[in-house]
Amino acid sequence: MKNALSRCAVGAALVSFAGAGQAQISQYSEDFEGLNAANPTELGDAGWLVGANVFDSTGTTFLYNYFAFAAPNGGPAFSAIDSGQGGPAQGAQQLSVYNDYNNADHGNGSGNRIEANVFREYTIDASNAGTWSFSFDAKLGNLAGASTAFAFIKILDPNAGFAQTGGDIIDLTNTSTEWQGYTLSADVDASQAGQIFQIGFFSVASNFESSGVFYDNLNLVPTPAAAGLLGMGGLIAMRRRR
């Protein structure tokens, strides 16, 4: 049942993002050490966005969504800069991603499934053509029950109802309680100029079940030599970094 809900959540999310893209894709690195954990707007100020898709209790029927807002730092919804979770490679501060517990569906008895997204967004320029790799470290937090968690790259076409034209995704529901490294990759074609490119994380949860996963050492980098191996818009198989 958990796997079925996860697949449904991923599919419906493709039509949910209605915001215009930001700057074109560029290299990005973040270890969260330089961010002010005491500032409640720090993640939003650093370019992170949030939003959610909501499904019925079976996970098969999309009900509504709300996008996109500056990511909060702390509180009961979406995201926070945490501390004390890292090993030597993660330093003092990490990103905690969890569900939107401000959503009333958690407590109204509906059992509706809330997919809470925390992401960065770019607009593809023709000069971005090539393969882009998104790597990060992840560690299981308090995720429990039927909650699930994922990391993703998405390429969305705003001229086709935000249909997904490329990307990659990895299920982190069963990631270790020890830090592990992961890499996702997606091919970008020059003909996708003007489309939306996103990297980020989401959880799916209901009934106030916990859903936290920690992330650190994020890197988005181009690898142009690998471009075109799978063709325009092709999904690239997820690869775990050893």
Side-chain angles (χ1 to χ4, degrees), residues 76-125:
F78 293 104
S79 54
I81 300 169
D82 211 327
S83 62
Q85 299 295 335
Q90 288 77 38
Q93 295 189 159
Q94 299 79 41
L95 174 67
S96 177
V97 173
Y98 45 90
N99 213 253
D100 178 11
Y101 297 105
N102 280 333
N103 189 310
D105 284 355
H106 270 292
N108 63 10
S110 66
N112 289 343
R113 306 287 290 165
I114 301 161
E115 177 201 296
N117 293 262
V118 180
F119 61 99
R120 300 181 66 83
E121 183 173 274
Y122 307 86
T123 299
I124 295 173
D125 183 83

Side-chain angles (χ1 to χ4, degrees), residues 20-57:
Q22 301 174 338
Q24 71 180 60
I25 312 172
S26 60
Q27 285 191 212
Y28 169 75
S29 295
E30 181 61 77
D31 63 7
F32 303 99
E33 299 302 305
L35 299 187
N36 180 5
N39 177 9
T41 67
E42 189 76 356
L43 288 171
D45 293 345
W48 286 90
L49 301 169
V50 299
N53 298 294
V54 181
F55 308 85
D56 70 0
S57 60

Side-chain angles (χ1 to χ4, degrees), residues 183-198:
T183 298
L184 294 83
S185 297
D187 191 46
V188 173
D189 190 89
S191 67
Q192 293 172 309
Q195 296 189 27
I196 307 304
F197 182 96
Q198 296 175 340

